[in-house]
Structures are given as C-alpha cells and as structure tokens.
C-alpha cells in the first residue's frame, strides 16, 4: 500500500469529520447550533428558547435599574453616616 498518498488525505479529512461529529453531537443533545464565529443562530433556536432569552434580557434590564437605584440610596446613606451631625441637622431644618 502506498502511504505517501493516504497520509495527506487522512490529515485533510480529519478537520471536516471532527466538525460534522461535533455538530451532530451538539444537535442530538439539544444545544443551539452556532456559526463560524461561535454566535448562536437565532433561527435555529426553538420559539420557547427565544422567549426565555427575551424574558431574561428584560429581567436583566430591571435588575440593572434596581441596582442603579440602590447605588443612589447607598450614596445617600454613606453621606449621612460620614457627615457631621450639625450639617445633617442644618439640612433637615432647611427642608422644613
């Protein structure tokens, strides 16, 4: 048998065979398929998965807004805790 021709053929075909096997395993186990850049293709996702991703995105936005409000409140509490009592009393009197 001539090994000189068989070695390059095997070497060249290993990559595509591994890609096909990887894609088949991912599809069989329910993972979303990706493009060449590793990004998930939206049209391959089931509708339920797309809805879940949209719900998570909106929940993330709500959480970010809540965290921003908490940072503002924490800044006020830190100011109250570190400012002198006379200044806080003057600010309270100014509000009346």
């Amino acid at each position: 048998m001539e090994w000189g021709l068989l070695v390059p053929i095997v070497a060249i075909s290993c990559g595509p065979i591994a890609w096909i096997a990887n894609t088949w395993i991912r599809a069989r186990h329910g993972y979303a398929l990706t493009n060449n850049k590793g990004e998930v293709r939206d049209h391959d996702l089931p509708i339920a998965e797309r809805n879940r991703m949209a719900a998570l995105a909106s929940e993330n936005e709500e959480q970010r807004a809540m965290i921003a409000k908490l940072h503002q409140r924490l800044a006020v509490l830190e100011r109250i805790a570190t400012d002198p009592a006379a200044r806080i009393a003057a600010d309270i009197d100014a509000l009346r």
Side-chain angles (χ1 to χ4, degrees):
M1 181 177 217
E2 185 65 37
W3 290 100
L5 184 60
L6 187 61
V7 171
I9 291 173
V10 170
I12 291 172
S13 63
C14 282
I17 290 172
W19 175 77
I20 291 169
N22 186 18
T23 303
W24 178 73
I25 290 169
R26 289 177 61 82
R28 183 173 180 206
H29 292 286
Y31 289 99
L33 300 178
T34 58
N35 61 12
N36 292 339
K37 296 178 184 176
E39 301 165 341
V40 175
R41 299 183 302 194
D42 287 339
H43 62 276
D44 288 340
L45 291 176
I47 293 173
E49 183 71 17
R50 284 187 225 160
N51 292 341
R52 187 177 72 82
M53 289 174 64
L56 286 175
S58 67
E59 183 180 347
N60 284 344
E61 289 302 319
E62 292 172 7
Q63 295 291 330
R64 284 188 181 107
M66 184 186 301
I67 289 172
K69 287 180 185 177
L70 289 174
H71 278 293
Q72 291 172 350
R73 292 179 72 182
L74 182 62
V76 170
L77 291 174
E78 286 176 346
R79 192 186 63 162
I80 291 171
T82 58
D83 281 353
R87 182 175 172 188
I88 293 173
D91 287 344
I92 292 174
D93 288 337
L95 291 174
R96 290 182 188 174

